């Protein structure tokens, strides 16, 4: 396949809006190719979009679907052509997830939170999602074995457990959610801060995070720890955010990447002592990130309208349910985690919601280096992913932000600095925040760029980047981003003018890390005991079997895995 | 040969510690399973060959002939019902959903005659739950409401609930409080610290009274509710509030009684209320081993967990309209594919009489009363014994069922594949014929 | 009347054409008082009926039951007495159904008799 004459943005390879041809053969970018010619003359061309943090599969997602038939009705699209029927808006069915991401030019999405014991379910759903390449992060922050290793300061055994857990879950990396809080929730409480000990385990959240970061680097995992802070969603929590980031400054990354990725920072950049004096502390967070290089983040942008909050932070969800009097699902997971799901509507009329909306944008606009901040909505927590074009246009257009702010609460300008920010992101920065950076942060070498050998995932939009003024013509831009002219996945046109044409099966990435045998042996003694006495399943029935990952892409890490190739 | 850690495919407990002794491809002994489980794994008299009804009699045919006959029935129908699914694996369920989409039918599971009201209750309120291991390790107070696990889920108490030992429950049964609420004494209530007998059909009122008491508004509760003295309810509410970790398990006693989903709605609210005082979770006692799985598979593929109508090219869900019993009662379906279920036994008689009027395809390892009504009978391998696959435990945990013995029967998945292929080729040849006619 | 699962019914629910299932599912459990009151002690059967249908069961005493309540294992005999209405939720009301009952000398229908009557003519 040859893509002719597009205006290409490939920031990872230093290409910022140059007219050039792209060739794809055997599913990869190559020097020369024959076959189908795609006419992209003058149009915006980028690598396929990569979402490094989204909720698309597994128990939480399905719980959301089951408790929200109202939501299912919102997104109904008929079965037609190659497509099975779509339903849902904030909690779409598996098919809709694949089609809608592809329609926006996205080709890769990573599910953000899976307990090991429930990974089989996650993979059942991932397998059912068409088109996309995907992976799932694995939860470790409230796990008994983890906390016991941390307590014993046995990082080597912890690393062995992480390797074992990733393999059992066919998982991609270490996710940590409200460390210690999920365990405390087992008896209905929470941890109050980074140094508040976890009941019954005599460790602090700070120790859990730090030890997991050390284990992560000991195993040379492609991704860093992926962290959802303690106290998330609470007024005044920016201090927890800063404290936690500071506690990780000494972590030496084992690869050319961050030492910690902080997810949905919007929910952790809150000032004030209550919802009444609630205000943005985005500028302090952005300032910290500007001065330090060990951390990256994603926005977790909130948009007005319907959302479904779903997180392993179960006490937070209980709080959400109490606050909104909405229906509440909770799910505690033996020895490993807890979680919750609560439907939500963010209202323009609510000052708190307006401030939250502004914080996400502030974070992205005040952080100077776009490689440090990803565009996400923590879908469907801040808003479903189908609204990414709205977020991107807000980032690109000051007039759009101003006209939005004019409709919001008058107090808003006192609580945030968003109105004073002049910065408008350009296409290079957008390409970084939605393609190049998420791929680099995840450690996906063949994603997010268009260099030779990269995956043949390309999105082409019906938009001339040099002619359209995104600041003024934001409506045109939003329309173009919502329905790609072409989405090409591994060299196949999967979507044309917003219509799905093909639904190939995507790959599933997981990390196979090797730990020292002696540590593994010590670990097995612990695990045998845990399965004998505490788990409700046998060890032999626990790990995800190969049949659940039919198109695996195994990334090797750990001892003897050799130096990993870096993305350009 | 001994198969270790086999998973029992009878009830929603999905016990995964079963040892099965196999000799010459036959199950000889089953260890660790309860009577229900071992009876299932040992097996019974099977249907031998596929059959199609001719002149009122079922006559043996080949599998291919049976698939084609099934395809004809499904294609001739304007709104076929694809019913059952609870006692087979997700791999078959996924095929069934695809088949329902392709023939434009309604897919419903046996949940609609068991925990369907629970699902509706969850749609109203959400489900504050946990995995069974969480209950095992933490629960010091357990309520069985309208359920009788001693007879329906015999190993539940030992593996997960009343008699289980875990990290924070090392003393097991002796340090726990077990409460049974039912309309009668049961084998389960014999193991209880407290039995509260209520009048049939008063679950809603009793739960409401408990919610009042838990909220400290006991003065609003009348002296007697559902045949239970207020003092009795007050002591029950105190027991609930004294829990460090409480778990409520509920069964058909509450979903099948007057009030149905409203009862569940109220029970879920009670548990939510209790969480502002202490930790509480709640869970339906799912009967068939994989009735959870069909709910999950339907939800991720259609957005709805049961009673999904695919006749309009897009999933539509409205229990009371699209549920199997409602469709049959209103003669709103004109063919039925029944898999791994026995509606002839389990539906109200008047509805069975309606079912008997439409063509029926049955897929099942065993003859049962539905066979007596069926027009096409396709015997299958027993999922979870003779075929592998995924099942979801009552707490939503997915496990992989092992294959214990080989079978000459095709699996449910293979049979559905066969029917799907026949549907496609029949359609194809018809449109081809139609096309030729048009050319003339 | 309430219907529900028992061990014996459950263990035989995959061999529904068997004698064991017949025994398990065509039984009707009552309190001792009701049993005596109806004069069932001398080997009589019991006829249950309501607006939806009527059928004969084999009576048994269950001390766990209160007066006025009978329990029948779930199955095709019990379902003769269940109405079709789902109250808009898809599930018929299987429990808490009002019935009349009397002692009878009539025999219990076996499973084939039960379904023989509705077996439809060739489609
Ligand atoms: S309790 Fe249920 S799953 Fe366990 S052995 Fe008995 S029937 Fe099987
Ligand atoms: Zn998230």
């Amino acid at each position: 396949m040859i893509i002719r004459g597009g205006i290409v943005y490939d920031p990872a390879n230093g290409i910022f809006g140059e007219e050039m041809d792209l060739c794809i053969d055997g599913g990869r970018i190559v020097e020369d190719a024959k076959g189908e010619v795609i006419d992209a003359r003058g149009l915006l061309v980028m690598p396929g979009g990569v979402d490094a943090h989204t909720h698309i599969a597994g128990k939480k997602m399905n719980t959301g679907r089951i408790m929200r038939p109202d939501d299912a009705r919102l997104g109904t699209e008929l079965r037609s052509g190659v497509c099975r029927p779509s339903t849902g808006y904030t909690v779409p069915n598996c098919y809709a997830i694949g089609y809608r991401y592809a329609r926006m030019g996205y080709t890769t999405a990573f599910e953000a939170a899976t307990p090991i014991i429930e990974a089989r379910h996650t993979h059942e759903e991932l397998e059912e999602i068409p088109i996309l390449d995907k992976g799932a992060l694995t939860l470790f922050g409230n796990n008994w074995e983890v906390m016991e290793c941390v307590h014993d300061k046995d990082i080597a055994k912890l690393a062995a457990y992480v390797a074992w857990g990733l393999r059992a879950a066919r998982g991609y990396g270490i996710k940590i959610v409200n460390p210690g809080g999920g365990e405390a929730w087992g008896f209905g409480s929470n941890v109050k801060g980074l140094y508040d000990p976890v009941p019954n385990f005599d460790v602090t959240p700070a120790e859990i995070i730090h030890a997991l970061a050390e284990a992560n680097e000991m195993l040379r995992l492609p991704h860093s720890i992926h962290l959802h802070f303690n106290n998330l969603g609470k007024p005044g929590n920016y201090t927890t955010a800063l404290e936690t980031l500071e506690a990780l400054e000494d972590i030496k990354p084992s690869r050319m990447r961050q030492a910690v990725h902080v997810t949905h920072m919007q929910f952790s950049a809150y000032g004030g002592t209550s919802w009444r004096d609630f205000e943005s502390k985005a500028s302090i967070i952005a300032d910290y990130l500007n001065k330090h290089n060990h951390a990256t983040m994603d926005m977790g942008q909130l948009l007005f309208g319907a959302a479904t909050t779903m997180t392993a932070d179960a006490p937070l969800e209980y709080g959400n349910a109490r606050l909104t009097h909405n229906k509440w699902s909770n799910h505690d997971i033996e020895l490993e985690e807890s979680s919750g799901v609560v439907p939500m509507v963010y209202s323009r009329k609510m000052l708190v919601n307006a401030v939250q909306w502004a914080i996400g944008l502030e974070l992205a606009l005040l952080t100077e280096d776009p490689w440090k901040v990803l565009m996400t909505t923590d879908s469907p927590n801040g808003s479903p992913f189908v609204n990414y074009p709205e977020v991107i246009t807000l980032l690109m257009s000051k007039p759009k932000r101003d006209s939005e702010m004019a409709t919001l609460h008058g107090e808003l300008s006192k609580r945030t600095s968003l109105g004073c920010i002049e910065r408008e992101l350009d296409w290079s920065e957008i390409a970084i925040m939605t393609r190049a950076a998420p791929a680099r942060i995840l450690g996906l070498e063949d994603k997010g760029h268009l260099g030779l050998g990269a995956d043949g995932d390309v999105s082409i939009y019906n938009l001339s980047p040099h002619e359209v003024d995104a600041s003024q013509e934001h409506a045109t831009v939003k329309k173009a981003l919502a329905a790609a002219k072409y989405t090409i996945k591994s060299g196949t046109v999967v979507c044309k003018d917003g219509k799905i044409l093909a639904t190939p099966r995507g790959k599933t990435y997981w990390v196979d890390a090797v730990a020292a045998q002696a540590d593994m042996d010590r670990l097995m003694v612990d695990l045998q005991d845990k399965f004998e006495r505490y788990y409700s399943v046998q060890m032999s029935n626990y790990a995800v079997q190969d049949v659940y990952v039919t198109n695996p892409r195994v990334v090797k890490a750990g001892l003897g895995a050799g130096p990993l190739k870096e993305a350009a | 040969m001994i198969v270790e850690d086999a998973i029992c495919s009878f009830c929603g407990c999905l016990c995964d510690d079963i040892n099965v002794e196999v000799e010459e491809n036959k199950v000889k002994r089953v260890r660790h399973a309860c009577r229900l489980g071992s009876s299932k794994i040992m097996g019974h008299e099977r249907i031998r060959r596929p059959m199609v009804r001719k002149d009122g009699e079922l006559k043996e045919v080949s599998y291919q002939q049976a698939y084609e006959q099934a395809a004809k029935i499904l294609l001739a129908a304007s709104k076929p019902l694809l019913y059952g699914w609870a006692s087979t694996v997700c791999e078959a369920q996924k095929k069934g959903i695809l088949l329902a989409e392709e023939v434009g039918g309604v897919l419903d599971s046996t949940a609609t005659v068991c925990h369907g009201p629970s699902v509706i209750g969850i749609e109203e309120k959400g489900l504050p739950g946990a995995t069974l291991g969480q209950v095992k390790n933490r629960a010091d107070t357990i309520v069985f409401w309208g359920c009788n696990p001693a007879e329906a889920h015999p190993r539940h108490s030992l593996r997960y609930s009343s008699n289980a030992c875990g990290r924070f429950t090392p003393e097991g049964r002796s340090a726990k409080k077990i409460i049974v609420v039912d309309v009668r004494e049961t084998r389960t209530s014999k193991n209880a610290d407290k039995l509260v007998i209520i009048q049939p059909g008063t679950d809603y009122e009793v739960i409401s009274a408990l919610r009042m008491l838990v909220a400290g508004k006991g003065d609003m509760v009348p002296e007697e509710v559902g045949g239970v003295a207020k003092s009795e309810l007050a002591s029950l509410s105190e027991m609930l509030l004294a829990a460090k970790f409480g778990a409520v398990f509920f069964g058909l006693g509450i979903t099948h009684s007057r009030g149905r989903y409203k009862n569940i709605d109220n029970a879920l609210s009670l548990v939510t209320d209790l969480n502002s005082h202490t930790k509480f979770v709640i869970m339906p006692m799912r009967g068939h081993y994989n009735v959870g799985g069909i709910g999950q598979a339907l939800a991720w593929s259609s957005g709805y967990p049961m009673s999904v109508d695919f006749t309009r090219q897009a999933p539509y869900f409205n229990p009371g309209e699209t549920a199997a019993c409602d469709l049959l009662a209103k003669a709103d379906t004109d063919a039925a594919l029944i898999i791994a279920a026995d509606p002839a036994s389990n539906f109200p008689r008047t509805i069975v009489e309606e079912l008997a009027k439409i063509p029926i395809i049955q897929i099942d390892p065993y003859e049962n009363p539905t066979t007596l009504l069926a027009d096409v009978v396709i015997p299958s391998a027993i999922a979870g014994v003779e075929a592998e696959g995924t099942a979801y435990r009552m707490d939503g945990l997915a496990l992989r069922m092992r294959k214990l013995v080989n079978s000459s029967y095709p699996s449910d998945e293979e049979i559905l594949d066969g029917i799907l292929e026949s549907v496609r080729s029949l359609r194809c040849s018809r449109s081809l014929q139609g096309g030729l006619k048009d050319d003339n | 009347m309430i219907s529900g699962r028992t061990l014996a019914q459950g263990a035989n629910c995959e061999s529904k054409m068997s004698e064991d299932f017949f025994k398990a599912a065509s039984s009707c459990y009552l309190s001792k008082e009701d049993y005596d009151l109806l004069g069932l002690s001398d080997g009589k059967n019991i006829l249950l009926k309501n607006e939806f249908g009527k059928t004969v069961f084999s009576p048994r005493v269950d001390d766990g039951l209160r007066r006025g309540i009978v329990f029948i294992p779930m199955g095709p005999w019990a379902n003769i007495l269940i109405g079709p209405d789902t109250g808009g939720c898809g599930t018929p009301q299987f429990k808490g159904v009002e019935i009349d009952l009397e002692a009878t000398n009539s025999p219990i229908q076996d499973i084939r008799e039960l379904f023989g009557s509705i077996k439809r003519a060739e489609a």
Side-chain angles (χ1 to χ4, degrees):
Chain A
M1 171 188 288
I2 306 162
I3 300 165
R4 280 235 194 279
I7 310 297
V8 176
Y9 287 83
D10 180 13
N13 293 306
I15 296 166
F16 303 103
E18 285 171 37
E19 186 184 322
M20 58 191 286
D21 295 346
L22 292 170
C23 298
I24 307 177
D25 193 29
R28 295 188 173 273
I29 305 285
V30 293
E31 197 91 52
D32 243 317
K34 293 198 173 57
E36 191 178 358
V37 176
I38 305 272
D39 180 6
R41 273 172 301 174
L43 301 183
L44 173 64
V45 174
M46 297 194 279
V50 178
D51 197 340
H53 186 108
T54 177
H55 300 268
I56 51 174
K59 178 90 187 153
K60 287 197 297 290
M61 194 62 184
N62 233 20
T63 298
R65 294 184 187 109
I66 290 170
M67 71 194 276
R68 298 209 63 183
D70 54 320
D71 188 82
R73 293 196 174 94
L74 293 179
T76 304
E77 294 170 66
L78 300 188
R79 171 189 171 86
S80 78
V82 297
C83 292
R84 295 184 68 174
S86 290
T87 56
Y89 173 59
T90 66
V91 281
N93 65 345
C94 292
Y95 314 121
I97 290 170
Y99 307 149
R100 290 176 191 167
Y101 264 115
R103 227 171 256 156
M104 296 192 305
Y106 272 70
T107 50
T108 306
F110 270 56
E111 158 60 38
T114 296
I116 307 170
I117 193 173
E118 291 188 338
R120 193 174 284 102
H121 180 171
T122 301
H123 285 291
E124 281 229 278
E125 292 193 26
L126 287 177
E127 287 284 303
E128 212 66 13
I129 296 175
I131 304 170
L132 301 179
D133 288 340
K134 56 243 160 180
L137 301 179
T138 308
L139 290 157
F140 284 99
N142 288 287
N143 185 300
W144 290 1
E145 182 63 30
V146 169
M147 290 188 289
E148 285 164 10
C149 290
V150 173
H151 179 264
D152 298 345
K153 305 204 174 358
D154 193 343
I155 304 297
K157 192 162 80 181
L158 177 59
Y161 181 66
V162 167
W164 183 86
L166 289 178
R167 168 167 266 279
R170 298 293 189 267
Y172 188 78
I174 300 178
K175 175 76 181 297
I176 307 169
V177 174
N178 184 21
E183 166 51 34
W185 181 246
F187 285 114
S189 69
N190 196 359
V191 290
K192 288 172 212 68
L194 201 55
Y195 300 100
D196 186 16
V198 183
N200 302 310
F201 284 88
D202 194 23
V203 293
T204 64
E207 290 166 335
I208 297 171
I209 299 168
H210 201 274
L212 281 168
E214 288 175 62
N216 196 94
E217 302 317 323
M218 188 179 264
L219 290 171
R220 304 169 48 80
L221 299 183
H223 187 35
S224 65
I225 57 166
H226 192 113
L227 181 57
H228 162 133
F229 286 141
N230 296 104
N231 284 329
L232 186 127
K234 295 200 182 100
N237 65 9
Y238 79 104
T239 53
T240 306
L242 292 176
E243 248 177 351
T244 312
L245 287 168
E246 280 158 13
L248 291 164
E249 281 172 14
D250 65 329
I251 298 292
K252 295 266 162 308
S254 57
R255 302 189 54 192
M256 282 287 290
R257 55 146 168 74
Q258 73 289 351
V260 54
H261 178 77
V262 180
T263 189
H264 37 70
M265 185 67 97
Q266 178 271 127
F267 290 107
S268 288
Y270 297 167
T273 56
S274 74
W275 293 114
R276 233 165 289 143
D277 61 354
F278 179 68
E279 60 175 354
S280 167
K281 291 289 180 190
S283 58
I284 294 178
I285 299 283
D287 195 45
Y288 180 92
L289 258 92
N290 288 337
K291 293 195 178 111
H292 295 83
N293 286 322
H294 67 299
T296 56
M297 64 178 170
D298 60 81
M299 295 165 68
Q301 178 63 28
L302 178 150
L303 295 172
F304 303 112
T308 298
T309 60
M310 52 178 68
T311 169
D313 194 339
L316 169 76
E317 290 294 13
Y318 180 63
N320 281 346
R322 306 283 305 170
L323 202 70
T324 60
H325 298 287
N326 217 327
K327 44 191 167 185
W328 169 55
S329 283
N330 173 79
H331 188 59
D332 289 3
I333 298 129
E334 59 200 73
L335 290 83
E336 297 183 9
E337 261 307 335
S338 61
S339 64
V341 183
V342 175
M344 196 69 84
V345 176
Y346 300 116
S347 162
R348 287 170 183 280
K349 296 203 182 90
M350 292 264 296
L351 178 58
V352 167
N353 293 160
V355 174
Q356 291 175 305
W357 171 84
I359 290 173
L361 297 170
E362 279 183 284
L363 285 167
L365 294 166
L366 294 173
T367 304
E368 287 151 15
D369 182 356
W371 289 92
K372 287 183 180 168
V373 47
L374 308 182
M375 192 283 303
T376 66
T377 59
D378 188 20
S379 176
N381 283 284
S383 185
F385 66 82
V386 288
N387 295 322
Y388 285 174
E390 169 74 6
V391 182
I392 294 172
T393 42
L394 284 165
L395 294 172
M396 297 185 85
S397 170
K398 163 89 170 143
K400 179 173 168 99
R401 296 197 294 267
D402 287 344
S403 65
E404 273 290 300
M405 281 186 78
T407 69
L408 302 173
H409 203 288
E411 274 284 291
L412 181 59
S413 54
K414 294 194 195 127
R415 309 286 183 98
T416 88
S417 66
L418 182 65
C420 315
I421 302 176
E422 297 295 326
R423 187 175 174 198
E424 292 178 327
L425 301 188
D426 61 24
W427 285 113
S428 300
E429 289 164 319
I430 294 299
I432 293 168
M433 291 171 67
T434 58
R435 273 85 178 161
R440 184 174 289 180
I441 285 169
L442 284 171
L444 297 171
E445 298 169 349
D446 303 333
K447 295 284 180 197
H449 73 107
L450 299 169
L452 294 183
D455 283 355
D457 300 351
V458 184
S459 33
I460 305 171
Y461 296 97
N462 202 1
L463 188 97
S464 302
H466 295 328
E467 279 153 39
V468 173
D469 175 358
S471 173
Q472 298 302 326
E473 298 166 70
H474 50 81
T476 312
V477 172
K478 186 174 164 185
K479 192 163 160 244
L481 293 176
K485 175 94 181 140
Y486 290 95
T487 303
I488 294 157
K489 171 73 189 8
S490 305
T492 303
V493 176
V494 291
C495 177
K496 183 167 186 231
D497 294 318
K499 189 172 183 319
I500 301 297
L501 297 183
T503 59
R505 179 182 295 268
K507 302 188 277 276
T508 299
Y509 288 83
W510 68 273
V511 170
D512 187 8
V514 180
Q517 192 54 48
D519 299 328
M520 225 14 134
D521 293 343
R522 290 190 300 129
L523 172 71
M524 279 310 128
V525 178
D526 287 13
L527 291 183
Q528 256 142 20
D529 180 58
K530 289 221 161 52
F531 279 95
E532 218 147 86
R533 288 162 63 199
Y534 304 143
Y535 272 110
S536 68
V537 292
Q538 304 292 108
M539 194 159 165
S540 66
N541 289 318
Y542 180 81
V544 173
Q545 292 84 354
D546 285 331
V547 288
Y548 292 97
V549 186
T550 56
N551 191 7
R553 178 73 194 279
V554 186
V555 181
K556 299 275 182 200
L559 288 182
L564 289 144
K565 193 176 90 201
E566 295 299 333
Chain B
M1 183 186 71
I2 294 191
V3 183
E4 287 189 14
D5 298 343
I7 301 178
C8 173
S9 56
F10 187 82
C11 86
C13 285
L14 282 185
C15 297
D16 76 331
D17 60 343
I18 314 295
N19 286 357
V20 181
E21 213 176 297
V22 177
E23 251 173 53
E24 289 171 4
N25 202 38
K26 287 219 167 56
V27 174
K28 285 285 170 226
R29 264 187 77 177
V30 180
R31 285 209 196 86
H32 300 160
C34 70
R35 187 172 148 201
L36 299 175
S38 51
S39 157
K40 160 115 192 204
I41 297 168
M42 294 298 291
H44 311 280
E45 177 74 26
R46 302 282 285 271
I47 303 174
R48 292 202 331 245
R49 303 269 313 141
M51 296 180 286
V52 168
R53 195 174 292 276
K54 256 214 162 100
D55 306 322
E57 296 288 320
L58 286 171
K59 299 264 165 60
E60 292 194 356
V61 296
S62 72
Y63 271 96
Q64 192 52 40
Q65 285 168 318
Y67 296 159
E68 279 163 21
Q69 188 58 27
K72 273 185 203 150
I73 291 173
L74 291 172
L75 283 175
S78 60
K79 198 181 206 180
L81 167 67
L82 294 85
Y83 175 83
W85 309 106
S87 289
T88 188
V89 287
C90 295
E91 288 70 10
Q93 296 166 348
K94 287 188 249 182
K95 272 278 143 50
I97 295 166
L98 184 59
L99 180 63
E101 281 179 25
E102 294 212 4
V103 300
V106 179
L107 193 142
D108 198 13
S109 77
T110 58
T112 52
V113 292
C114 311
H115 274 288
S118 310
V119 174
I120 299 175
I122 290 164
E123 287 171 355
E124 304 275 321
K125 289 286 156 69
L127 180 70
T131 66
L132 288 164
Q134 182 81 335
V135 174
K136 159 186 157 130
N137 282 299
R138 296 185 201 258
D140 59 357
T141 303
I142 296 171
V143 183
F144 295 105
W145 195 305
C147 59
N148 183 11
E151 303 215 38
H153 302 86
R155 297 184 74 221
H156 190 277
S157 71
L158 188 64
R159 276 175 62 81
Y160 311 124
S161 56
S162 339
N163 295 49
C165 301
R167 185 166 192 139
F168 303 108
T169 53
E171 287 132 60
R173 175 67 187 86
S174 62
K176 295 184 198 190
K177 292 274 180 268
I178 309 302
I179 300 159
V180 171
V181 183
D182 211 319
V183 297
R184 59 185 180 122
E185 280 176 47
T186 61
R187 286 198 203 186
T188 304
S189 70
K190 295 204 169 72
N191 181 31
D193 296 290
K194 188 175 189 66
L195 167 64
V196 179
I197 293 200
I198 64 170
Q199 277 162 6
T202 60
D203 302 78
Y204 190 89
E205 290 90 324
V206 174
I207 296 166
S208 298
L210 279 173
R211 289 185 65 191
M212 294 285 191
L213 287 158
V214 165
K217 294 179 191 153
D219 46 333
M220 292 161 80
V221 174
E223 280 313 307
E224 194 196 287
V225 181
V228 188
K230 179 175 175 180
S231 58
E232 180 80 352
L233 290 171
S235 88
L236 177 55
S237 124
E238 268 158 37
M239 282 175 86
L240 299 179
L241 289 168
K244 279 212 187 72
F245 184 113
V248 179
F249 293 97
F250 64 94
L252 304 186
I254 171 166
T255 65
H256 275 176
S257 299
R258 190 172 67 92
R260 283 169 279 194
Y261 77 91
K262 288 280 174 205
N263 298 337
I264 309 303
D265 183 314
N266 213 13
L268 294 168
S269 297
L270 170 63
V271 168
T272 304
D273 296 349
L274 281 164
N275 272 285
S276 49
H277 303 276
T278 179
K279 180 65 187 273
F280 248 91
V281 299
I282 181 166
M283 198 187 304
M285 294 286 260
R286 305 307 297 264
H288 295 292
Y289 77 91
N290 198 25
V291 68
I294 183 62
Q296 299 289 339
L298 263 179
W300 75 57
S301 42
S302 78
Y304 306 103
M306 60 182 188
S307 312
V308 183
D309 180 346
F310 290 99
T311 55
R312 294 167 232 193
Q313 298 299 303
Y316 169 77
F317 163 77
N318 186 19
E321 178 191 349
T322 56
C325 283
D326 295 287
L327 287 172
L328 287 164
K330 294 179 191 122
D332 192 18
T333 169
D334 48 1
L337 181 150
I338 310 291
I339 178 165
D342 180 18
S345 295
N346 298 330
F347 285 0
R349 174 72 174 202
T350 45
I351 292 178
V352 177
E353 283 162 10
E354 291 301 320
L355 176 65
K357 291 179 188 158
I358 61 175
I360 297 171
I361 304 151
Q362 183 189 32
I363 304 172
D364 209 289
Y366 301 113
E367 186 185 13
N368 61 32
T370 300
T371 319
L372 300 177
L373 310 179
D375 299 276
V376 180
V377 178
I378 310 178
S380 60
I382 306 165
V385 178
E386 298 168 341
E388 285 189 60
T390 316
Y392 285 73
R393 208 164 68 176
M394 63 167 72
D395 56 353
L397 185 74
L399 289 168
R400 181 144 193 97
M401 312 298 292
R402 289 167 197 269
K403 179 173 171 175
L404 309 174
V405 291
N406 293 317
S407 164
S408 55
Y409 293 101
S411 68
D412 290 328
E413 187 188 0
E414 286 163 340
I415 291 169
L416 290 161
D417 238 341
I419 297 176
L420 192 59
E421 283 310 311
S422 294
V423 162
R424 285 173 181 170
S425 66
L426 217 63
R427 264 222 178 109
C428 197
S429 68
R430 276 182 196 170
S431 67
L432 220 61
Q433 280 168 7
L436 287 175
K437 267 181 218 136
D438 287 347
D439 283 350
N440 297 340
Chain C
M1 184 272 278
I2 50 182
S3 60
R5 170 148 290 169
T6 67
L7 256 182
Q9 170 268 339
N12 289 297
C13 76
E14 297 195 328
S15 51
K16 288 222 184 76
M17 314 310 280
S18 70
E19 183 65 20
D20 288 344
F21 181 72
F22 170 72
K23 280 209 190 107
S26 65
S27 302
C28 170
Y29 297 82
L30 322 83
S31 66
K32 181 83 175 96
E33 292 99 311
D34 285 340
Y35 188 88
D36 291 342
L37 205 72
L38 288 164
L40 292 167
S41 35
D42 52 354
K44 281 198 169 145
N45 284 331
I46 179 169
L47 174 74
L48 270 63
K49 62 181 171 187
N50 64 8
E51 54 180 309
F52 304 113
K54 59 179 178 186
T55 191
V56 177
F57 292 84
S58 152
R60 287 165 202 222
V61 171
D62 179 342
D63 293 325
L65 288 169
R66 288 187 176 177
R67 280 208 54 196
I69 298 179
V70 301
F71 176 87
I72 309 178
M74 53 170 75
W77 287 271
N79 280 328
I80 289 176
L81 304 161
I82 307 294
D85 182 36
T86 74
C89 77
T91 311
Q93 189 176 320
F94 287 100
K95 294 183 165 65
V97 180
E98 305 230 333
I99 42 138
D100 290 326
L101 57 173
E102 61 194 50
T104 176
N105 287 319
S106 313
I108 305 166
Q109 287 192 301
D110 77 20
I111 192 122
R112 285 179 197 276
E113 287 166 350
L114 212 55
F115 287 94
S117 56
I118 59 168
K119 198 154 121 201
R120 136 188 60 108
E122 183 72 3

